[in-house]
C-alpha cells in the first residue's frame, strides 16, 4: 500500500470516465486512477452489507476506503423518511455494514465528521468516547467543524484527548469563515494514521446564508487550489509522514470538478507514484 494515499471524496461525479460508463462500473474505473476514496453515501444512509462487500471485491488489494459515519451518529439528524431507531441500534447496523470492508483489509478509517454546532464541551467529549466504544474494532477518525475545539484554551487538550482515545485526527484545509470552520492544525494523534481533507477555501460559499441545501452544496466546495496553496502543504505532509505510518489525503473541492486535478497536482508535488492500481480501460485512451 502507498504510504501516502491520495484520492477524492466520492467516485460518481468526477471527470474520469469514458462516455457511457455505467454507474455500477465507475468504482472499478476510479481505482485505476487513485488508491483511496471516501464513501459519502454511507453518511446519507447506512449501506447494505452486501454492497460494501461488493465495493471491496471490485477494487485492487491495495485500494482503501474512508467511510463517513451515518448522519444520525454525528448529530446531523435523521433524514426525512428514515426509520426511527435507537442510538445503540444505529451503531450496530452501521458496524455490520462496514464490517466487510474491514474484513477485506480495505478500511482506512470510519470518519465521524461532526457539525458546526458540535462545540467543545463535556457532553460532546463524552459522546466521542461513546463512538469509540461502540465500534472498537474499526479505526476511527474525527473531524471537527467548530472552532472551539482548537481555541487557545482547548487546542492542546483536544489533541491530547484524541491521542489518549486512539482517535485519528482529521486535518482540514477549509475557509476561515467563522465559528463553523476550523484552522489548519497539522498534528498527528495516532501513530498509524493521519487523515487530511481538502474542502477548498470558498469563504463566501462556506456558510448557508439563506441558500437552499442544494444551492449551498453546489457552491460550498467550488474552489480551485492555486499552486502556492498546494505548495504550502508539502512540508506539512512530509513532517506528518514522519510521525504516522500512513497519510491519507482526500480532496473534496469538487462542486466545479476541481478535486481530481488538485489530487493529481498534489501527487506530483510529493513525488508520489501510485502502485497497485486497477488496469485502465482501453476506452480511456
Amino acid at each position: 500500500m502507498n504510504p501516502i494515499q491520495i484520492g477524492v471524496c466520492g467516485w460518481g461525479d468526477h471527470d474520469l470516465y469514458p462516455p457511457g460508463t455505467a454507474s455500477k462500473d465507475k468504482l472499478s474505473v476510479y481505482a485505476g486512477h487513485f488508491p483511496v476514496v471516501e464513501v459519502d453515501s454511507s453518511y446519507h444512509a447506512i449501506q447494505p452489507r452486501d454492497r460494501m462487500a461488493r465495493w471491496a471485491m471490485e477494487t485492487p488489494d491495495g485500494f482503501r476506503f474512508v467511510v463517513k459515519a451515518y448522519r444520525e451518529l454525528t448529530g446531523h439528524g435523521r433524514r426525512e423518511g428514515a426509520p426511527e431507531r435507537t442510538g445503540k441500534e444505529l451503531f450496530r447496523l452501521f458496524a455490520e455494514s462496514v464490517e466487510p470492508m474491514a474484513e477485506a483489509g480495505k478500511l482506512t478509517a470510519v470518519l465521524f465528521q461532526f457539525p458546526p454546532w458540535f462545540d467543545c464541551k463535556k457532553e460532546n467529549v463524552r459522546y466521542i468516547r461513546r463512538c469509540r466504544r461502540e465500534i472498537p474494532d474499526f479505526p476511527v477518525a474525527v473531524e471537527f467543524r467548530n472552532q472551539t475545539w482548537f481555541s487557545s484554551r482547548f487546542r492542546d487538550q483536544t489533541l491530547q484527548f484524541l491521542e489518549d482515545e486512539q482517535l485519528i485526527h482529521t486535518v482540514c484545509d477549509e475557509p476561515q469563515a467563522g465559528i463553523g470552520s476550523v484552522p489548519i492544525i497539522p498534528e498527528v494523534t495516532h501513530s498509524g494514521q493521519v487523515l487530511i481533507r481538502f474542502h477548498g477555501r470558498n469563504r463566501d460559499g462556506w456558510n448557508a446564508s439563506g441558500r437552499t441545501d442544494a444551492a449551498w452544496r453546489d457552491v460550498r466546495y467550488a474552489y480551485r487550489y492555486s499552486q502556492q496553496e498546494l505548495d504550502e502543504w508539502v512540508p506539512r505532509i512530509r513532517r506528518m509522514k514522519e510521525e504516522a505510518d500512513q497519510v491519507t489525503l482526500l480532496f473534496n473541492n469538487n462542486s466545479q470538478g476541481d478535486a481530481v486535478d488538485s489530487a493529481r497536482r498534489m501527487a506530483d508535488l510529493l513525488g508520489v507514484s501510485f502502485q497497485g492500481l486497477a488496469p485502465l480501460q482501453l476506452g480511456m485512451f
Side-chain angles (χ1 to χ4, degrees):
M1 187 174 64
N2 302 282
I4 297 179
Q5 298 274 82
I6 303 177
V8 299
C9 297
W11 61 82
D13 299 325
H14 304 285
D15 186 18
L16 290 171
Y17 309 107
T21 301
S23 295
K24 65 181 179 63
D25 298 325
K26 286 186 175 181
L27 177 58
S28 297
V29 177
Y30 174 94
H33 294 272
F34 296 105
V36 64
V37 74
E38 180 178 297
V39 180
D40 294 327
S41 56
S42 53
Y43 165 80
H44 300 286
I46 296 175
Q47 297 298 300
R49 180 184 171 94
D50 61 347
R51 182 177 299 164
M52 300 287 262
R54 185 173 73 250
W55 289 340
M57 287 190 299
E58 289 175 352
T59 50
D61 291 344
F63 193 86
R64 295 294 183 268
F65 296 87
V66 173
V67 179
K68 285 187 75 172
Y70 174 54
R71 57 179 298 152
E72 289 187 66
L73 298 178
T74 55
H76 287 86
R78 184 168 58 91
R79 65 181 176 85
E80 185 177 354
E84 294 189 28
R85 294 166 291 196
T86 66
K88 194 75 176 177
E89 185 179 10
L90 287 169
F91 274 112
R92 177 182 62 80
L93 291 171
F94 181 75
E96 290 175 356
S97 167
V98 176
E99 194 172 33
M101 278 186 182
E103 290 177 345
K106 294 189 174 184
L107 179 65
T108 285
V110 171
L111 170 61
F112 282 79
Q113 178 189 291
F114 292 106
W117 55 88
F118 190 85
D119 57 351
C120 186
K121 58 185 179 183
K122 290 182 179 179
E123 173 186 343
N124 290 336
V125 169
R126 286 195 296 268
Y127 182 73
I128 295 171
R129 285 199 175 102
R130 180 188 178 187
C131 294
R132 172 72 283 179
R133 186 173 66 249
E134 293 280 3
I135 51 172
D137 298 328
F138 302 148
V140 172
V142 171
E143 177 175 342
F144 296 114
R145 285 201 170 167
N146 184 288
Q147 284 185 359
T148 58
W149 294 93
F150 296 115
S151 66
S152 58
R153 180 183 177 189
F154 292 126
R155 179 188 184 278
D156 291 345
Q157 294 178 62
T158 294
L159 294 171
Q160 189 62 54
F161 164 67
L162 295 175
E163 183 175 345
D164 291 345
E165 297 296 323
Q166 298 186 339
L167 295 164
I168 299 163
H169 177 216
T170 303
V171 182
C172 294
D173 185 304
E174 64 193 36
Q176 297 309 289
I179 192 68
S181 58
V182 296
I184 294 172
I185 308 288
E187 300 293 338
V188 175
T189 62
H190 191 291
S191 62
Q193 183 77 235
V194 63
L195 179 62
I196 309 172
R197 297 181 81 224
F198 293 84
H199 298 300
R201 301 182 183 180
N202 185 349
R203 190 176 186 277
D204 291 337
W206 187 251
N207 297 313
S209 301
R211 299 182 181 95
T212 64
D213 287 347
W216 176 50
R217 286 192 296 270
D218 286 344
V219 301
R220 185 176 206 188
Y221 303 110
Y223 192 79
R224 175 173 287 269
Y225 281 98
S226 70
Q227 191 65 36
Q228 178 180 346
E229 289 167 339
L230 294 179
D231 285 341
E232 292 170 358
W233 273 96
V234 173
R236 295 173 184 151
I237 293 166
R238 287 177 175 162
R239 181 181 61 77
M240 285 187 281
K241 180 61 191 71
E242 294 177 357
E243 301 176 31
D245 297 333
Q246 180 76 49
V247 180
T248 299
L249 285 64
L250 293 169
F251 284 84
N252 195 32
N253 56 318
N254 201 50
S255 294
Q256 294 180 355
D258 292 309
V260 164
D261 176 71
S262 295
R264 286 173 168 164
R265 286 193 290 148
M266 182 63 82
D268 288 342
L269 286 173
L270 293 168
V272 172
S273 178
F274 301 128
Q275 305 299 316
L277 297 177
L280 286 174
Q281 297 180 15
L282 292 177
M284 293 299 293
F285 303 96

